[in-house]
Amino acid sequence: MNEMQQVWVAYAAQDRQFHLAVPFHPGMTALDAIEQSGIRAQIALPEPLALGIFGMRLQDPDQILQAGDRVEIYRGLTINPKDIRRKRAAENPVGLYCRGNRFKQLK
């Protein structure tokens, strides 16, 4: 195999998304991958870092990576999902005298 092994660093800011490839080295940790990606120079990351690999939250940021892993940097929510649901329900009420959203799609 002549293919170069790599890991990916992913971060979704409010206005941009990053998906950066980093050359893999045996013994590389999640923090090493973030530093080698250079993402800190491009955008301010939230502190403390909340990390995951393929959607599984990491308890220890010094976890050893395997080739092909995707290190994800998580950020806090900007709005509570329950508030979004309440707002949507208030805008589209469903009740005894009102038809639901399903009937709007049938037009």
Side-chain angles (χ1 to χ4, degrees):
M1 281 186 159
N2 291 336
E3 288 185 29
M4 187 173 177
Q5 295 180 334
Q6 58 190 5
V7 295
W8 298 90
V9 176
Y11 178 66
Q14 288 183 342
D15 57 344
R16 294 172 56 186
Q17 294 181 4
F18 297 91
H19 196 239
L20 307 169
V22 178
F24 173 74
H25 305 290
M28 175 185 268
T29 65
L31 288 177
D32 293 340
I34 291 170
E35 293 304 321
Q36 289 181 18
S37 71
I39 195 170
R40 286 188 193 268
Q42 298 178 27
I43 195 163
L45 295 177
E47 291 293 333
L49 288 176
L51 303 175
I53 297 178
F54 288 116
M56 299 297 294
R57 190 84 180 244
L58 288 180
Q59 301 300 326
D60 181 21
D62 292 323
Q63 167 132 4
I64 303 295
L65 300 177
Q66 297 177 2
D69 281 350
R70 182 181 67 222
V71 178
E72 300 164 347
I73 304 169
Y74 302 128
R75 63 180 173 88
L77 297 176
T78 56
I79 188 167
N80 187 347
K82 289 183 180 180
D83 292 339
I84 295 171
R85 166 72 175 85
R86 285 187 195 109
K87 181 181 176 189
R88 191 178 334 134
E91 291 173 356
N92 300 304
V94 176
L96 185 60
Y97 300 108
C98 181
R99 297 192 315 182
N101 292 336
R102 192 177 126 236
F103 295 101
K104 291 180 183 177
Q105 297 172 356
L106 296 176
K107 288 183 181 180

